[in-house]
Amino acid sequence: MPQIAQLAETFSSQIFWLLVFFGIVFFVIGRGMVPKVMGTVAERDGQIGSDLAAAEAARAQADEEEEAWRKRENENRAAAQALVAKAKADAAASSEKKLAAAQKRLDKKLADAEAAVAAARTSALAEIEGVAAEAAQDIVQRLAGVSVTAASAKKAVKEAMNHG
Amino acid sequence: MAAEPAKVDPMYQFTIEPLFGSANWEIAGFNIAFTNSAMWMLITTVVLGIFVWGGMKRELVPGRWQMAVETFTGFVENMLEANIGKAGRKYVPYVFSLFMFILFANILGLLPLGIFGLHPFTFTSHFTVTGILAAISFSIVLIVGFWKHGFHFFSLFVPHGTPLPMIPAIFLIELVSFAVRPFSLALRLFVAMMAGHVLLEVLSSFVIDGTNAGAHWGLLVGVPSFVLMVGICALEILVAGIQAYVFALLTSLYINDAENLH
């Protein structure tokens, strides 16, 4: 077994060179290079973390903006609906007014017509009365040879017509 | 170089040889020959350096390479954070170096470079090496423990709710189990790596010797051994990863003891 057989003659060189090369590995690679590699990793982790945070913030902001937009949209819709309702109501009111005016005009015409009819009727009645009184005067003259005055004939006719 | 007979010597692969005529380099009387073991430590260091360097492009959207490196650093970081908590982050450079150094050493040692005439040397199959790594880990545990908690660190050896008369015995047992940690850490990696490589070598000797003995032996022994070798190779890749992971995991658990006591 060379490890034991050569121990006495080689141990010093083994120890010396191991210390030399392991020392180089430790100080140059372990102390010099590894922290830089780990620094890169930490830097990347930090970058990823901050990127994620930024993305999260952007998402929150987008949500917020969407919410605001929705709110504005709802307000606009409500306003539009109110406008439409108001227009509808206005239109309804104005048409009602027009209808009412037309109705009034019609009513007035009807009333005028009725009044004219009544007046015509009254004048016709009066005429009939006059005619009837003259006729009654004539009839009495011819039948009874009595001449009655126009006034009494008129009175009699009026009485008869009131009864009749 | 030892006398190399025609037959396969499963242990030969662990032999350490000085390279480039450096056999007599010395510092303060200690031999520091640049051996094949040191060579593979150098290769491991360079390959690991290239691997991690490729992951330093610092791009926001990582490419495959950067992703691979970040996976490893993230893996070590998670392991430390799961075992130690937030305080574990400061040990990432050490545990990452430990884990990746052992992992790359294990895997590079498994590469079938013998085809090209290069002989991979798995230095983690030497307990001198694993022992030093374990000693470093254990020293960190001791230093952190005494630094943070002073002599209160010894309360680690007395679990909560121990009855008073049991304290001396429990203290002794816990102390021993604590003291054994670096050895178990070192031996586990060393044994696992050595056993795997020896097994592969033994099976390859079955293939070679069986086939040399004739066609029927080749079919009877060589082919099944070869199939088994392929399977063991896959297993060894798994072991290479698991042992590196276990070493790093246990180190982080021990550091947790020092950092947080019980």
Side-chain angles (χ1 to χ4, degrees), chain B residues 18-19 24 39 45 51 54-55 57 66 76 100 119 134 139 153-154 167 184 195 225 239 244 249:
Chain B
L19 298 177
N24 294 319
M39 185 66 192
T45 305
F51 174 71
K57 295 193 199 82
Q66 195 182 340
V76 172
M100 295 304 272
H119 287 280
S139 318
F153 184 53
F154 283 111
I167 284 181
S184 73
S225 296
V239 169
L249 178 71

Side-chain angles (χ1 to χ4, degrees), chain A residues 14 17-26 29, chain B residues 37-49 51-52 72 76 93-109 122-124 129-130 132-133 136 189 240 244 247-248:
Chain A
Q14 289 276 69
W17 290 112
L18 177 70
L19 289 178
V20 166
F21 289 121
F22 188 69
I24 291 173
V25 166
F26 176 64
I29 298 173
Chain B
S37 172
M39 185 66 192
W40 281 89
M41 291 177 198
L42 173 64
I43 292 171
T44 303
T45 305
V46 169
V47 172
L48 177 56
F51 174 71
V52 178
F72 278 111
V76 172
Y94 173 67
V95 177
F96 179 84
S97 305
L98 192 65
F99 174 66
M100 295 304 272
F101 192 65
I102 295 172
L103 180 68
F104 273 55
N106 290 351
I107 288 175
L108 286 171
T122 318
F123 59 83
T124 43
V129 173
T130 61
I132 295 298
L133 292 176
I136 296 173
L189 177 59
F247 204 103

Side-chain angles (χ1 to χ4, degrees), chain A residues 2 6, chain B residues 1-5 9 11-12 15-17:
Chain A
Q6 293 185 304
Chain B
M1 193 178 284
E4 195 184 354
D9 176 8
M11 300 313 278
Y12 178 69
T15 312
I16 294 173
E17 294 160 12

Side-chain angles (χ1 to χ4, degrees), chain B:
Chain B
M1 193 178 284
E4 195 184 354
K7 67 177 173 131
V8 179
D9 176 8
M11 300 313 278
Y12 178 69
Q13 58 179 324
F14 302 118
T15 312
I16 294 173
E17 294 160 12
L19 298 177
F20 318 123
S22 63
N24 294 319
W25 289 4
E26 280 188 5
I27 282 185
F30 289 106
N31 181 288
I32 55 154
F34 192 81
T35 59
N36 51 351
S37 172
M39 185 66 192
W40 281 89
M41 291 177 198
L42 173 64
I43 292 171
T44 303
T45 305
V46 169
V47 172
L48 177 56
I50 291 170
F51 174 71
V52 178
W53 178 80
M56 294 224 314
K57 295 193 199 82
R58 318 211 64 177
E59 281 166 7
L60 190 60
V61 179
R64 290 181 192 192
W65 197 324
Q66 195 182 340
M67 198 73 210
V69 176
E70 284 172 4
T71 306
F72 278 111
T73 58
F75 168 71
V76 172
E77 197 188 346
N78 285 341
M79 183 171 74
L80 284 169
E81 216 168 299
N83 288 321
I84 305 177
K86 281 285 167 208
R89 285 180 61 93
K90 60 177 172 286
Y91 301 104
V92 169
Y94 173 67
V95 177
F96 179 84
S97 305
L98 192 65
F99 174 66
M100 295 304 272
F101 192 65
I102 295 172
L103 180 68
F104 273 55
N106 290 351
I107 288 175
L108 286 171
L110 274 177
L111 290 181
L113 296 178
I115 307 169
F116 308 110
L118 271 167
H119 287 280
F121 181 89
T122 318
F123 59 83
T124 43
S125 63
H126 275 252
F127 59 76
T128 348
V129 173
T130 61
I132 295 298
L133 292 176
I136 296 173
S137 284
F138 197 64
S139 318
I140 289 176
V141 170
L142 288 179
I143 291 167
V144 168
F146 282 113
W147 187 275
K148 279 199 70 159
H149 305 288
F151 283 102
H152 193 59
F153 184 53
F154 283 111
S155 74
L156 184 66
F157 305 132
V158 184
H160 286 299
T162 313
L164 200 63
M166 293 298 289
I167 284 181
I170 294 284
F171 184 87
L172 213 64
I173 291 168
E174 290 280 329
L175 184 64
V176 168
S177 85
F178 184 77
V180 158
R181 282 173 178 184
F183 298 100
S184 73
L185 207 53
L187 287 178
R188 184 180 297 112
L189 177 59
F190 147 67
V191 166
M193 294 323 292
M194 194 187 79
H197 284 261
V198 168
L199 187 57
L200 285 177
E201 207 80 349
V202 168
L203 285 173
S204 74
S205 82
F206 285 173
V207 176
I208 295 166
D209 291 348
T211 313
N212 281 345
H216 57 290
W217 283 116
L219 280 176
L220 195 68
V221 177
V223 174
S225 296
F226 187 74
V227 171
L228 189 60
M229 242 181 111
V230 172
I232 300 278
C233 274
L235 189 70
E236 278 308 300
I237 294 172
L238 192 70
V239 169
I242 288 174
Q243 286 303 325
Y245 173 63
V246 165
F247 204 103
L249 178 71
L250 287 176
T251 298
S252 69
L253 285 176
Y254 297 161
I255 293 176
N256 175 44
D257 278 350
E259 188 78 29
N260 302 321
L261 289 182
H262 274 299

Side-chain angles (χ1 to χ4, degrees), chain A residues 10-82:
Chain A
T10 62
F11 81 97
S12 54
S13 107
Q14 289 276 69
I15 292 170
F16 176 77
W17 290 112
L18 177 70
L19 289 178
V20 166
F21 289 121
F22 188 69
I24 291 173
V25 166
F26 176 64
F27 285 106
V28 175
I29 298 173
R31 301 287 296 265
M33 294 171 157
V34 169
K36 284 180 187 155
V37 173
M38 282 165 62
T40 311
V41 175
E43 213 168 83
R44 181 179 319 121
D45 286 351
Q47 175 89 43
I48 289 171
S50 68
D51 281 1
L52 276 179
E56 182 64 38
R59 199 175 66 91
Q61 204 196 333
D63 279 358
E64 213 167 83
E65 262 166 29
E66 198 198 334
E67 191 57 38
W69 174 82
R70 200 184 296 281
K71 213 166 149 194
R72 220 167 46 238
E73 191 68 11
N74 282 346
E75 269 165 19
N76 286 347
R77 183 167 301 144
Q81 267 165 1

